[in-house]
Short mmCIF file of all heavy atoms in Angstrom, two decimals:
data_model
loop_
_atom_site.label_atom_id
_atom_site.label_comp_id
_atom_site.label_asym_id
_atom_site.label_seq_id
_atom_site.Cartn_x
_atom_site.Cartn_y
_atom_site.Cartn_z
N VAL A 1481 0.84 -1.24 -0.08
CA VAL A 1481 0.00 -0.02 -0.01
C VAL A 1481 0.91 1.19 0.00
O VAL A 1481 1.89 1.29 0.77
CB VAL A 1481 -0.96 0.03 1.29
CG1 VAL A 1481 -1.67 1.32 1.24
CG2 VAL A 1481 -1.88 -1.15 1.21
N GLN A 1482 0.56 2.21 -0.88
CA GLN A 1482 1.14 3.41 -0.83
C GLN A 1482 0.35 4.63 -0.45
O GLN A 1482 -0.79 4.65 -0.79
CB GLN A 1482 1.83 3.66 -2.22
CG GLN A 1482 2.94 2.66 -2.71
CD GLN A 1482 3.39 3.02 -4.16
OE1 GLN A 1482 2.78 3.78 -4.92
NE2 GLN A 1482 4.59 2.57 -4.37
N LEU A 1483 0.92 5.57 0.23
CA LEU A 1483 0.29 6.71 0.73
C LEU A 1483 0.99 7.96 0.14
O LEU A 1483 2.08 8.09 0.31
CB LEU A 1483 0.22 6.88 2.21
CG LEU A 1483 -0.52 5.73 3.03
CD1 LEU A 1483 -0.24 5.85 4.47
CD2 LEU A 1483 -2.02 5.65 2.59
N VAL A 1484 0.22 8.83 -0.49
CA VAL A 1484 0.75 10.10 -1.08
C VAL A 1484 0.07 11.29 -0.48
O VAL A 1484 -1.12 11.49 -0.57
CB VAL A 1484 0.55 10.10 -2.66
CG1 VAL A 1484 1.09 11.36 -3.29
CG2 VAL A 1484 1.14 8.84 -3.26
N GLU A 1485 0.98 12.15 0.21
CA GLU A 1485 0.41 13.33 0.82
C GLU A 1485 0.64 14.57 0.03
O GLU A 1485 1.54 14.64 -0.84
CB GLU A 1485 1.08 13.49 2.15
CG GLU A 1485 1.03 12.41 3.17
CD GLU A 1485 2.40 11.81 3.45
OE1 GLU A 1485 3.27 11.77 2.42
OE2 GLU A 1485 2.71 11.34 4.52
N SER A 1486 -0.30 15.49 0.17
CA SER A 1486 -0.16 16.73 -0.50
C SER A 1486 -0.77 17.89 0.38
O SER A 1486 -1.47 17.61 1.20
CB SER A 1486 -0.78 16.77 -1.91
OG SER A 1486 -2.16 16.57 -1.78
N GLY A 1487 -0.45 19.16 0.01
CA GLY A 1487 -1.10 20.30 0.65
C GLY A 1487 -0.26 21.03 1.62
O GLY A 1487 -0.73 22.10 2.16
N GLY A 1488 1.01 20.61 1.88
CA GLY A 1488 1.77 21.35 2.78
C GLY A 1488 2.32 22.64 2.20
O GLY A 1488 2.22 22.87 1.00
N GLY A 1489 2.82 23.46 3.05
CA GLY A 1489 3.40 24.79 2.69
C GLY A 1489 3.59 25.61 3.73
O GLY A 1489 3.61 25.30 4.94
N LEU A 1490 3.83 26.94 3.44
CA LEU A 1490 4.04 27.95 4.34
C LEU A 1490 2.80 28.80 4.50
O LEU A 1490 2.26 29.30 3.57
CB LEU A 1490 5.24 28.84 3.80
CG LEU A 1490 5.54 30.16 4.59
CD1 LEU A 1490 5.96 29.77 6.04
CD2 LEU A 1490 6.56 30.94 3.88
N VAL A 1491 2.53 29.05 5.80
CA VAL A 1491 1.28 29.90 6.10
C VAL A 1491 1.71 30.73 7.29
O VAL A 1491 2.53 30.48 8.09
CB VAL A 1491 0.06 29.06 6.54
CG1 VAL A 1491 -0.40 28.33 5.24
CG2 VAL A 1491 0.30 28.12 7.64
N GLN A 1492 0.91 31.92 7.45
CA GLN A 1492 1.14 32.78 8.49
C GLN A 1492 0.31 32.21 9.78
O GLN A 1492 -0.67 31.63 9.64
CB GLN A 1492 0.71 34.19 8.15
CG GLN A 1492 1.56 34.89 7.06
CD GLN A 1492 1.03 36.28 6.78
OE1 GLN A 1492 0.04 36.73 7.22
NE2 GLN A 1492 1.90 36.96 6.02
N PRO A 1493 0.85 32.63 10.87
CA PRO A 1493 0.04 32.37 12.12
C PRO A 1493 -1.41 32.82 11.95
O PRO A 1493 -1.73 33.90 11.53
CB PRO A 1493 0.69 33.11 13.22
CG PRO A 1493 2.12 33.13 12.80
CD PRO A 1493 2.02 33.36 11.28
N GLY A 1494 -2.37 32.00 12.39
CA GLY A 1494 -3.78 32.19 12.21
C GLY A 1494 -4.31 31.81 10.92
O GLY A 1494 -5.60 31.86 10.76
N GLY A 1495 -3.46 31.35 10.01
CA GLY A 1495 -4.00 30.99 8.76
C GLY A 1495 -4.43 29.56 8.64
O GLY A 1495 -4.52 28.86 9.73
N SER A 1496 -4.92 29.09 7.53
CA SER A 1496 -5.42 27.79 7.36
C SER A 1496 -4.74 27.01 6.25
O SER A 1496 -4.10 27.58 5.37
CB SER A 1496 -6.89 27.83 7.00
OG SER A 1496 -7.64 28.53 8.04
N LEU A 1497 -4.84 25.67 6.32
CA LEU A 1497 -4.18 24.84 5.37
C LEU A 1497 -4.96 23.51 5.36
O LEU A 1497 -5.35 23.03 6.41
CB LEU A 1497 -2.68 24.54 5.68
CG LEU A 1497 -1.73 24.18 4.62
CD1 LEU A 1497 -1.63 25.26 3.51
CD2 LEU A 1497 -0.32 23.96 5.20
N ARG A 1498 -4.99 22.82 4.26
CA ARG A 1498 -5.72 21.58 4.14
C ARG A 1498 -4.70 20.51 3.49
O ARG A 1498 -4.18 20.69 2.39
CB ARG A 1498 -6.88 21.57 3.22
CG ARG A 1498 -7.70 20.18 3.26
CD ARG A 1498 -8.91 20.23 2.32
NE ARG A 1498 -8.49 20.00 1.03
CZ ARG A 1498 -9.37 19.54 0.07
NH1 ARG A 1498 -10.72 19.43 0.37
NH2 ARG A 1498 -9.02 19.38 -1.15
N LEU A 1499 -4.38 19.47 4.32
CA LEU A 1499 -3.58 18.37 3.78
C LEU A 1499 -4.42 17.31 3.32
O LEU A 1499 -5.65 17.11 3.72
CB LEU A 1499 -2.76 17.82 4.93
CG LEU A 1499 -1.85 18.84 5.70
CD1 LEU A 1499 -1.08 18.04 6.72
CD2 LEU A 1499 -0.96 19.60 4.74
N SER A 1500 -4.10 16.52 2.38
CA SER A 1500 -4.67 15.36 1.87
C SER A 1500 -3.76 14.25 1.63
O SER A 1500 -2.55 14.40 1.48
CB SER A 1500 -5.40 15.69 0.51
OG SER A 1500 -4.48 15.96 -0.57
N CYS A 1501 -4.24 12.95 1.81
CA CYS A 1501 -3.51 11.74 1.67
C CYS A 1501 -4.36 10.72 0.95
O CYS A 1501 -5.47 10.37 1.40
CB CYS A 1501 -3.07 11.27 3.09
SG CYS A 1501 -2.35 9.63 3.04
N ALA A 1502 -3.91 10.17 -0.15
CA ALA A 1502 -4.66 9.20 -0.92
C ALA A 1502 -3.88 7.89 -0.78
O ALA A 1502 -2.59 7.73 -0.98
CB ALA A 1502 -4.69 9.61 -2.35
N ALA A 1503 -4.60 6.85 -0.46
CA ALA A 1503 -4.12 5.52 -0.45
C ALA A 1503 -4.34 4.73 -1.75
O ALA A 1503 -5.42 4.83 -2.30
CB ALA A 1503 -4.76 4.81 0.78
N SER A 1504 -3.33 3.90 -2.08
CA SER A 1504 -3.40 3.13 -3.31
C SER A 1504 -2.81 1.76 -3.03
O SER A 1504 -2.03 1.56 -2.20
CB SER A 1504 -2.89 3.78 -4.51
OG SER A 1504 -1.53 4.11 -4.35
N GLY A 1505 -3.16 0.86 -4.02
CA GLY A 1505 -2.61 -0.52 -3.87
C GLY A 1505 -3.66 -1.47 -3.48
O GLY A 1505 -4.93 -1.23 -3.60
N SER A 1506 -3.29 -2.68 -3.06
CA SER A 1506 -4.20 -3.69 -2.71
C SER A 1506 -4.69 -3.51 -1.27
O SER A 1506 -3.97 -3.65 -0.42
CB SER A 1506 -3.57 -5.11 -2.88
OG SER A 1506 -3.05 -5.38 -4.19
N ILE A 1507 -5.96 -3.05 -1.28
CA ILE A 1507 -6.62 -2.81 0.14
C ILE A 1507 -7.90 -3.54 0.16
O ILE A 1507 -8.76 -3.28 -0.63
CB ILE A 1507 -6.75 -1.32 0.23
CG1 ILE A 1507 -5.42 -0.52 0.10
CG2 ILE A 1507 -7.49 -0.98 1.56
CD1 ILE A 1507 -5.67 0.97 0.15
N PHE A 1508 -8.05 -4.34 1.14
CA PHE A 1508 -9.19 -5.04 1.36
C PHE A 1508 -10.18 -4.22 2.33
O PHE A 1508 -11.38 -4.18 2.11
CB PHE A 1508 -9.02 -6.43 1.92
CG PHE A 1508 -10.31 -7.20 2.32
CD1 PHE A 1508 -11.07 -7.75 1.42
CD2 PHE A 1508 -10.61 -7.29 3.77
CE1 PHE A 1508 -12.21 -8.45 1.72
CE2 PHE A 1508 -11.80 -7.99 4.01
CZ PHE A 1508 -12.63 -8.52 3.02
N LYS A 1509 -9.54 -3.64 3.38
CA LYS A 1509 -10.33 -2.89 4.26
C LYS A 1509 -9.46 -1.82 4.91
O LYS A 1509 -8.30 -2.13 5.34
CB LYS A 1509 -10.92 -3.72 5.33
CG LYS A 1509 -11.72 -2.99 6.42
CD LYS A 1509 -12.40 -3.93 7.46
CE LYS A 1509 -13.08 -3.22 8.49
NZ LYS A 1509 -14.20 -2.34 8.03
N ILE A 1510 -9.92 -0.62 4.96
CA ILE A 1510 -9.06 0.40 5.90
C ILE A 1510 -9.80 0.59 7.10
O ILE A 1510 -10.96 0.86 7.33
CB ILE A 1510 -9.18 1.83 5.03
CG1 ILE A 1510 -8.50 1.64 3.76
CG2 ILE A 1510 -8.64 2.84 5.92
CD1 ILE A 1510 -8.62 2.97 2.83
N TYR A 1511 -8.96 0.29 8.15
CA TYR A 1511 -9.42 0.36 9.53
C TYR A 1511 -9.41 1.81 10.06
O TYR A 1511 -10.35 2.30 10.59
CB TYR A 1511 -8.69 -0.48 10.54
CG TYR A 1511 -8.85 -2.03 10.28
CD1 TYR A 1511 -7.90 -2.74 9.69
CD2 TYR A 1511 -10.09 -2.55 10.74
CE1 TYR A 1511 -8.26 -4.14 9.46
CE2 TYR A 1511 -10.29 -3.92 10.55
CZ TYR A 1511 -9.39 -4.70 9.88
OH TYR A 1511 -9.57 -6.00 9.76
N THR A 1512 -8.27 2.42 9.88
CA THR A 1512 -8.19 3.86 10.18
C THR A 1512 -7.22 4.57 9.17
O THR A 1512 -6.36 3.98 8.60
CB THR A 1512 -7.50 3.99 11.61
OG1 THR A 1512 -6.15 3.51 11.67
CG2 THR A 1512 -8.29 3.34 12.64
N MET A 1513 -7.38 5.87 9.21
CA MET A 1513 -6.42 6.76 8.48
C MET A 1513 -6.22 7.97 9.33
O MET A 1513 -7.20 8.37 10.09
CB MET A 1513 -6.93 7.24 7.06
CG MET A 1513 -7.12 5.99 6.03
SD MET A 1513 -7.41 6.56 4.36
CE MET A 1513 -5.74 7.19 3.90
N GLY A 1514 -5.08 8.51 9.28
CA GLY A 1514 -4.75 9.57 10.25
C GLY A 1514 -3.55 10.36 9.91
O GLY A 1514 -2.83 10.10 8.94
N TRP A 1515 -3.19 11.28 10.81
CA TRP A 1515 -2.03 12.04 10.59
C TRP A 1515 -1.19 12.16 11.86
O TRP A 1515 -1.69 12.30 12.95
CB TRP A 1515 -2.40 13.56 10.16
CG TRP A 1515 -3.23 13.59 8.96
CD1 TRP A 1515 -4.45 13.59 8.67
CD2 TRP A 1515 -2.49 13.88 7.61
NE1 TRP A 1515 -4.69 13.67 7.25
CE2 TRP A 1515 -3.52 13.89 6.70
CE3 TRP A 1515 -1.22 14.08 7.29
CZ2 TRP A 1515 -3.28 14.09 5.30
CZ3 TRP A 1515 -0.93 14.18 5.77
CH2 TRP A 1515 -1.95 14.26 4.97
#
């Protein structure tokens, strides 16, 4: 299974950012995903 993250970067204090992570490969069941 491979995980590919995206969305990181530089932000100012008080700002917002969204990270994403996509799983690929042979997956029968995902129990949890997290950061």
Side-chain angles (χ1 to χ4, degrees):
V1481 175
Q1482 294 181 341
L1483 300 174
V1484 179
E1485 303 115 324
S1486 63
L1490 174 65
V1491 295
Q1492 294 185 349
S1496 299
L1497 204 62
R1498 189 183 79 164
L1499 307 182
S1500 64
C1501 172
S1504 63
S1506 298
I1507 302 174
F1508 177 74
K1509 179 179 176 64
I1510 297 178
Y1511 290 105
T1512 64
M1513 296 189 76
W1515 295 92

